[in-house]
Amino acid sequence: MANWKRKLYDWKIRNLAYSIGIGIILLAIAVYMIITQTGVNQQSLLRTKTLTNLNKIILPLSPQNITQNRESIGSTLREVERILFAYTKGGKLGDEKIKVKVNEEVKSKVENLLIYWNPLKETLYSIQDEEITINDAKSTLEKRYNSFIKEQKKIEDFVMELNQEEEKAETFYTILLYIYIGILCIFIYWILRNLVLNPIYKISISSRELAKGNLTKKIDYKSKNELGYIAQNINSMAEILENATNFTTKIGEGKLDADYKGLKENDDNSLAASLLHMREKMQDSAKADKERSWVNEGLAKFADILRNNNDNIEELSYQIISNLVKFMEANQGALFVLTEPDSETEESKIILEAAYAYERRKRLKKEISIGEGLVGQSVQEGDKIYLTEVPEDFVEIKSGLGETLPRCVLIVPLKINEEIKGVVEIASIKDIPKYKIEFVEKLGENIASTIANAKTNERTKKLLTESQEMTEQMRSQEEEMRQNMEEMEATQEEMGRAQTEMAEKEANLNALINNTTDSIILIDTDYNIILMNDVIKNRYAGTQYERMKEGSNALEMLGDVRDEWKTYYDRVFKGEVLSFTIKSSVKGEDSYRHYDIHPIKQKDGTITGASVFSRDITREKKIEMQREENAKKLAQREYVLNGMINNTEDTYFAINTNYEILVVNDVLKNRFKQSGIDLKPGLSILSILPGDQLEKWKARYDKALAGEKLKLEEIRELQTGNLTIETRCEPIVNNEGGVIGVSTVSKDITELKKAQEENKKLQTEIEKLKDKK
């Protein structure tokens, strides 16, 4: 027993967690199975909501209520159909979010119900479709309705029993679930209390003492699991911290050579090695922080100087060099700027822009060539120069500082993107540390960028002034240049077009003039033929014009029509374009030809000839003449028709098969115009009929479109008296016998009716007089 308990205490924590996890997973599976497979679940609620309420859903269609709910027969039947279909086939039911699962017992009951439902449904549909009246179907409906309700009651009782059985099953499985949960909770509690919580409590007590600084408190817990290893590691850490505390106490007392108790060899990552390394780095870190702070302060200081003086190079240069000498605690300084040559042959020069020495501002004008002295050498090599040994007899250094003899000299080129913009020279009687030299180099990029911007600003101002001076001159030349450019572009386009046209004409001329049915002749201003295509040559073959060819005079063989055609040609030679149709009889035929005569112009506008295009349009001409004759006949028929329908008091109009007005007489137009309606062909008659007349007249039009002739008499009630109107609606038939529209004629026969009544009265009186005799 003791051995088994010892093994349990040595169990790994992760194995205990796995065991608890498996138990929880089994619990989740059990809960899921109980919820989804037993008890009053969603399917039970859905069955109760739908199948047990079928009697309420169909209640409006009962024999007592069918008369009031006749309009809702279709919707009620579809609702019942959806419910019965869902419980036999499955699927979603209306707006319900869950799907119906088919239960074989429920399906069998529903199929039995369908036996009574289908006859009832047929009766209800017959009533809806007016195939049978409610009174005629009342007995059949009552019988089939009662049968359906009786069978539905059986399904309702069955659903209630099924729900009770599922509820009992849920209760049984729930009790089993509670028993399993109780056992699982007891098991988890025992494991957590004895194997996790108690060891953690011991470790927590010792850790709290360790946090308070009590390094002698040890953890009394021995086990081979993870918590046992944690306890051992905490005890070891307490011992290490105790040794480290003793060591740091000695370091604080100034004993930097004190031994570290417990230090292991070849242990580079131990706390002891870190403490020893920390002692070595403390002084280096303080020194580096001081230098970094100095550099950051300098960069911020000079950023403000460069931002506030970037529009004047001279003032900017003095502010830079004076503040730089002071900030670096040097003695003298100078700032040089490179000039930008105006041409490729001119060399850049190094110009002294500002110098500062011993709190006095020097305004020296000095120019140095690249490569000359230390400053020139620095620019040529593109690198800094730092001298620490200056000979006593070295009187003048060609660095722009005159005869001052410093102990060290620093010369740094001002570069941006490897392009040198200037040079800074610092002289000091003390050595300049490396971090200060690096600071000057880093600052040099910002100074170079600012100098470049300042130069750009000055150059921009200068260019702006020059631009303003040249604006007027450019304006006067702009129009002339634009005109020259337009002429050049037009010339180039013309040359290109001419070359293209020449090439195309050379390659395609013969094919163009011969692959056409038109006749083509080209003549010059002397009426000589330049070109004739094969079409006209074939046309003239065997006629009096057969001898006409290239080189012949176009007027010599024209005979009686010579003067007429000479007039045409002369008009074209003056620039006119002619297009006309004449009757032709070249071969004795009676035909018509259309002619297009255009002048042939050169590039300079000179007319050098004419082109004559002609084609046979006899067929088109005859069609046109026939069309004109038909149009005249149609116009005459239209005049007759308008005279017939407008010279009467009756109303006439006709519509097509789309109910669109084809013809309407003035009488009917004026009547509708009084109501603000513009009655005209193309308007749908259905769109203007009032609502109470629309259905009646549409039915009449439909009968007429079906081939029926209608004759109607209607009494129209007016304030001035009643009118009797006779209306005829007759189909309009085409040549094939198809109905293409309806004609409607309305006539006021009120007076005729009155006359007939009077005549009838007279006949009655005459008959009475005859009887008396």
Side-chain angles (χ1 to χ4, degrees), residues 703-762:
K703 288 181 178 179
L705 288 172
E708 185 177 351
K709 294 183 179 181
L710 305 178
K711 181 179 179 182
L712 310 166
E713 286 188 8
E714 294 180 306
I715 304 298
R716 185 173 301 169
E717 297 180 356
L718 301 176
Q719 294 179 353
T720 57
N722 295 339
L723 297 179
T724 303
I725 305 298
E726 180 184 84
T727 303
R728 293 178 179 271
C729 290
E730 297 185 357
I732 301 173
V733 182
N734 60 13
N735 295 332
E736 289 78 17
V739 178
I740 61 173
V742 176
S743 65
T744 304
V745 181
S746 297
K747 179 185 297 186
D748 183 359
I749 61 171
T750 305
E751 297 300 326
L752 178 62
K753 284 292 184 181
K754 289 181 179 180
Q756 290 176 350
E757 290 178 0
E758 292 294 332
N759 185 41
K760 188 175 182 181
K761 289 179 181 180
L762 289 174

Side-chain angles (χ1 to χ4, degrees), residues 176-365:
L176 292 180
L177 178 64
Y178 286 156
I179 294 173
Y180 175 76
I181 292 174
I183 295 173
L184 180 63
C185 291
I186 293 171
F187 174 70
I188 293 174
Y189 171 77
W190 188 88
I191 288 177
L192 293 177
R193 183 177 182 278
N194 293 281
L195 303 184
V196 178
L197 297 179
N198 287 344
I200 290 177
Y201 177 74
K202 292 181 180 180
I203 294 172
S204 175
I205 294 296
S206 298
S207 300
R208 186 164 64 246
E209 294 297 324
L210 182 62
K212 292 178 181 179
N214 185 5
L215 303 178
T216 59
K217 183 69 175 178
K218 305 297 182 183
I219 301 174
D220 185 16
Y221 180 75
K222 296 180 180 180
S223 176
K224 295 182 180 179
N225 60 14
E226 290 87 345
L227 294 176
Y229 297 149
I230 292 173
Q232 295 175 15
N233 293 335
I234 291 176
N235 290 337
S236 300
M237 183 176 65
E239 183 177 355
I240 292 173
L241 291 176
E242 184 178 3
N243 294 333
T245 301
N246 295 333
F247 177 76
T248 54
T249 301
K250 293 178 182 179
I251 293 296
E253 294 173 355
K255 298 178 182 179
L256 300 178
D257 57 347
D259 295 333
Y260 188 93
K261 184 179 179 182
L263 181 63
K264 298 179 181 180
E265 296 182 359
N266 301 325
D267 192 1
D268 296 335
N269 297 322
S270 64
L271 177 61
S274 299
L275 292 173
L276 294 174
H277 186 67
M278 178 192 66
R279 182 187 61 185
E280 296 174 359
K281 293 294 182 180
M282 286 177 63
Q283 293 180 347
D284 296 339
S285 178
K287 182 179 178 182
D289 288 342
K290 183 178 179 181
E291 293 176 355
R292 188 161 48 251
S293 176
W294 184 87
V295 170
N296 292 336
E297 180 185 353
L299 292 175
K301 175 183 178 67
F302 282 94
D304 292 336
I305 294 173
L306 296 174
R307 185 170 56 253
N308 297 329
N309 300 278
N310 60 2
D311 57 348
N312 188 306
I313 293 181
E314 183 177 355
E315 181 62 25
L316 174 66
S317 301
Y318 176 73
Q319 291 295 331
I320 291 173
I321 197 60
S322 61
N323 284 278
L324 185 60
V325 170
K326 294 176 183 178
F327 188 72
M328 293 187 64
E329 299 178 350
N331 302 101
Q332 293 178 335
L335 190 144
F336 300 85
V337 176
L338 264 70
T339 63
E340 296 183 0
D342 296 332
S343 63
E344 296 182 358
T345 58
E346 184 180 350
E347 294 184 355
S348 298
K349 296 292 183 182
I350 306 172
I351 304 299
L352 175 65
E353 286 290 345
Y356 188 83
Y358 301 108
E359 300 297 335
R360 298 195 311 275
R361 182 171 179 172
K362 290 187 175 182
R363 294 186 177 277
L364 306 176
K365 297 296 181 181

Side-chain angles (χ1 to χ4, degrees), residues 506-752:
E506 185 70 23
N508 302 321
L509 182 58
N510 291 329
L512 178 64
I513 65 175
N514 291 319
N515 294 333
T516 179
T517 57
D518 293 350
S519 299
I520 302 174
I521 300 178
L522 302 183
I523 64 173
D524 59 18
T525 53
D526 294 328
Y527 312 104
N528 294 321
I529 298 174
I530 302 172
L531 182 142
M532 293 176 65
N533 71 341
D534 293 340
V535 177
I536 196 168
K537 289 178 180 179
N538 295 332
R539 181 167 173 261
Y540 286 166
T543 68
Q544 66 270 30
Y545 307 115
E546 186 175 15
R547 290 179 299 162
M548 292 181 67
K549 59 182 179 180
E550 285 86 347
S552 301
N553 189 286
L555 300 177
E556 290 180 355
M557 286 173 281
L558 292 180
D560 296 339
V561 296
R562 179 182 184 283
D563 294 336
E564 179 183 355
W565 279 95
K566 183 177 184 302
T567 302
Y568 293 152
Y569 293 148
D570 290 343
R571 289 170 60 186
V572 173
F573 292 156
K574 293 178 181 180
E576 188 176 352
V577 176
L578 302 181
S579 180
F580 55 87
T581 300
I582 62 175
K583 200 169 185 181
S584 175
S585 58
V586 171
K587 294 184 178 181
E589 77 277 20
D590 188 9
S591 62
Y592 291 88
R593 296 193 68 81
H594 181 78
Y595 287 86
D596 289 300
I597 308 177
H598 296 257
I600 300 174
K601 296 181 180 180
Q602 299 299 318
K603 292 182 179 180
D604 58 358
T606 303
I607 296 176
T608 60
S611 62
V612 182
F613 291 81
S614 67
R615 62 182 179 276
D616 187 357
I617 61 167
T618 304
R619 183 173 178 274
E620 292 85 344
K621 187 67 176 178
K622 290 181 178 179
I623 292 174
E624 181 182 355
M625 293 168 64
Q626 183 64 39
R627 188 183 298 114
E628 291 176 354
E629 184 178 353
N630 293 338
K632 289 179 181 179
K633 292 180 180 179
L634 184 61
Q636 291 175 354
R637 293 176 61 185
E638 185 175 356
Y639 294 146
V640 173
L641 177 62
N642 288 335
M644 290 174 63
I645 66 175
N646 289 320
N647 295 327
T648 179
E649 294 298 325
D650 300 340
T651 61
Y652 289 86
F653 78 98
I655 61 173
N656 60 17
T657 55
N658 295 324
Y659 309 102
E660 295 173 345
I661 297 174
L662 299 173
V663 178
V664 59
N665 72 337
D666 294 340
V667 177
L668 189 59
K669 284 183 180 179
N670 294 331
R671 287 185 183 177
F672 275 89
K673 189 173 293 183
Q674 293 175 0
S675 302
I677 299 174
D678 185 12
L679 203 63
K680 56 185 179 180
L683 184 66
S684 175
I685 190 66
L686 300 183
S687 64
I688 61 175
L689 288 174
D692 56 345
Q693 299 290 322
L694 177 61
E695 184 176 353
K696 176 177 66 176
W697 279 100
K698 184 177 184 301
R700 294 173 178 177
Y701 296 147
D702 291 341
K703 288 181 178 179
L705 288 172
E708 185 177 351
K709 294 183 179 181
L710 305 178
K711 181 179 179 182
L712 310 166
E713 286 188 8
E714 294 180 306
I715 304 298
R716 185 173 301 169
E717 297 180 356
L718 301 176
Q719 294 179 353
T720 57
N722 295 339
L723 297 179
T724 303
I725 305 298
E726 180 184 84
T727 303
R728 293 178 179 271
C729 290
E730 297 185 357
I732 301 173
V733 182
N734 60 13
N735 295 332
E736 289 78 17
V739 178
I740 61 173
V742 176
S743 65
T744 304
V745 181
S746 297
K747 179 185 297 186
D748 183 359
I749 61 171
T750 305
E751 297 300 326
L752 178 62

